[in-house]
Amino acid sequence: MSRNSGHGHAPKGRRPKKHEEEEHENHERWLVSYADMLTLLFALFVVLFAMSQVDVTKFNSFAEGLQEGFGAPVTILSDGAVLDAQSQTPLQPVQVAEDAAIDGTAQTDAEKAAAAEAAAQQAQQTAAEAKAAYDQLSQAEQALQQALAAAGQSGAAQFVIDERGLVVHVVSDPVLFAPESAALLDSGATVLDALAPTIARLPNQVRVEGHANSLPVTKGGPWPSNWELSAVRATTVLRHLSEADGVPEDRLSAAGYGSTRPLVPDSDPSYVTVNRRVDIVVVSTASADANALLPGIEAAAQGTTSTTTASQDDHDSEGGHP
C-alpha cells in the first residue's frame, strides 16, 4: 500500500475548504442617518437663533444715526424690545386695523387714535384729489360750452360730470344722424368741429359711446339690431374727431351700447329722441376712490348754482314790482 493512501489524509494538491460564516444583516444602520439628520437640524436651529439676535454694536451705531438725523434717541433691551431713551417705555407698533395690533394684542388708545388719524388723512387726500379732478373737468365743460355757443350750437349738447368724468350728451336726431342712419349730418359735423379743438388740448382719454332708443330697427333694413347701429354711429363720430379734427388716435376709443343705457324711461314723452344719442366722455384722470366722489361734488355744485339763480330771480322780481 502506498504511504499516502490512508483515509485520514487529503489527496495531494488539494486544500481543505475554509469554513465560511453566514453574513448577518445590520438592523441598526438607520441610526447613522438619524444621527446625521439630527445634527443638520441642530445646525439649522443654531443658525436661525443666531440670525434672530440683534447685533447691539450695529444697533447702537444705527441709533446714533437716528438721533443725529431726527433728534429722537432710542436704545434696545437685552430681550430685543426697542425703547424710547427719554421715556424708557417700549415703542408700540402702529396698526391701522380696528381691533388688533401687529403683535395680536388689543389696540391701545394711542394706536386707535393713530389709525383714525391715518384714515382721516387718507380721506382728506382723496377728497382733495376729487376736487382737483372736478375743477379740471368743470373748466373743460365751460370751454366746450363756449365753443358750441360760438358755433351757434348751444342747445346741441348737455353736460354732466359723473364717476366716469365729463359726459357730453349729443343727441343724434336731428343733430348728428337721421333716424336709422350712421351718416354724419352737416349739423353734426359742425358740432364736432366746435368741440374738437378743446378736446384735443385736454390730457384726458376720450371715449365715444353710441346709444339707441328702445324702438326696434326696421326689419329688412340696413341694421340687424340697435347694437350695430349704435356701434357704427360711435365709430363714425370717432373717425371724424380723429381724421377731420386732428384729435390723437391713441386718446380715442368707441363703444356701442344699443338701448341698454337710456337717459329717460320709455314713459317719458321725449324718450325717442333723448335716448338716441352719442356720448363723448372726457375720462377723469383721478383714482377710482376720487372718481366715486365726483357725482356728489357735481350735485352740490348744481344745487348751489340753482339756489343762486333762484335768489337772483327773486331779487329781480322784487325790484321790478312795487
Side-chain angles (χ1 to χ4, degrees):
M1 289 183 63
S2 171
R3 187 177 297 178
N4 296 326
S5 61
H7 293 285
H9 300 279
K12 187 178 181 181
R14 296 179 62 186
R15 297 181 180 179
K17 289 185 176 181
K18 294 183 179 180
H19 178 71
E20 296 181 359
E21 296 182 359
E22 182 180 357
E23 183 179 356
H24 296 282
E25 183 179 358
N26 187 356
H27 295 284
E28 298 180 353
R29 288 183 300 177
W30 62 273
L31 290 174
V32 178
S33 300
Y34 180 71
D36 292 342
M37 182 184 68
L38 289 180
T39 303
L40 292 175
L41 287 176
F42 177 76
L44 173 63
F45 286 119
V46 168
V47 172
L48 293 177
F49 178 76
M51 293 173 60
S52 66
Q53 300 305 302
V54 177
D55 190 327
V56 178
T57 303
K58 292 183 178 179
F59 181 84
N60 288 335
S61 300
F62 175 71
E64 291 176 0
L66 288 179
Q67 181 176 356
E68 293 177 359
F70 301 100
V74 294
T75 184
I76 187 169
L77 296 178
S78 58
D79 60 354
V82 179
L83 301 180
D84 186 342
Q86 295 179 348
S87 62
Q88 292 296 312
T89 57
L91 299 178
Q92 297 291 334
V94 177
Q95 174 72 6
V96 181
E98 185 173 345
D99 297 326
I102 295 176
D103 57 1
T105 60
Q107 276 190 316
T108 64
D109 292 339
E111 289 171 342
K112 292 180 180 179
E117 182 179 359
Q121 290 179 353
Q122 182 62 39
Q124 185 177 5
Q125 292 176 358
T126 303
E129 181 185 7
K131 183 62 169 60
Y134 181 85
D135 291 343
Q136 187 254 342
L137 295 172
S138 180
Q139 292 175 2
E141 176 183 348
Q142 294 177 4
L144 292 172
Q145 288 178 338
Q146 293 173 359
L148 288 177
Q153 300 289 336
S154 298
Q158 296 178 350
F159 299 83
V160 63
I161 296 177
D162 61 17
E163 66 277 358
R164 295 173 294 171
L166 172 62
V167 184
V168 184
H169 299 300
V170 185
V171 293
S172 294
D173 183 15
V175 177
L176 291 176
F177 306 101
E180 291 195 77
S181 172
L184 190 63
L185 298 174
D186 291 340
S187 57
T190 301
V191 171
L192 296 180
D193 293 343
L195 297 173
T198 301
I199 293 175
R201 290 192 299 268
L202 297 174
N204 310 67
Q205 292 290 313
V206 178
R207 187 167 62 245
V208 183
E209 300 176 351
H211 300 271
N213 55 37
S214 60
L215 297 177
V217 297
T218 302
K219 293 183 178 180
W223 308 105
S225 69
N226 281 324
W227 291 103
E228 288 81 6
L229 176 59
S230 63
V232 174
R233 282 176 170 175
T235 55
T236 299
V237 172
L238 182 149
R239 290 186 58 191
H240 187 88
L241 290 174
S242 175
E243 298 173 0
D245 297 325
V247 179
E249 293 182 354
D250 59 353
R251 290 178 48 213
L252 294 171
S253 61
Y257 290 98
S259 59
T260 60
R261 299 187 179 184
L263 287 180
V264 296
D266 288 356
S267 57
D268 191 292
S270 63
Y271 85 97
V272 173
T273 55
V274 171
N275 292 335
R276 181 192 297 156
R277 70 194 190 279
V278 173
D279 290 345
I280 302 175
V281 182
V282 180
V283 181
S284 171
T285 59
S287 64
D289 291 339
N291 288 337
L293 301 178
L294 293 178
I297 300 176
E298 171 78 344
Q302 294 299 327
T304 302
T305 302
S306 300
T307 302
T308 303
T309 302
S311 299
Q312 291 177 349
D313 292 342
D314 293 341
H315 180 74
D316 292 342
S317 300
E318 292 172 358
H321 295 81

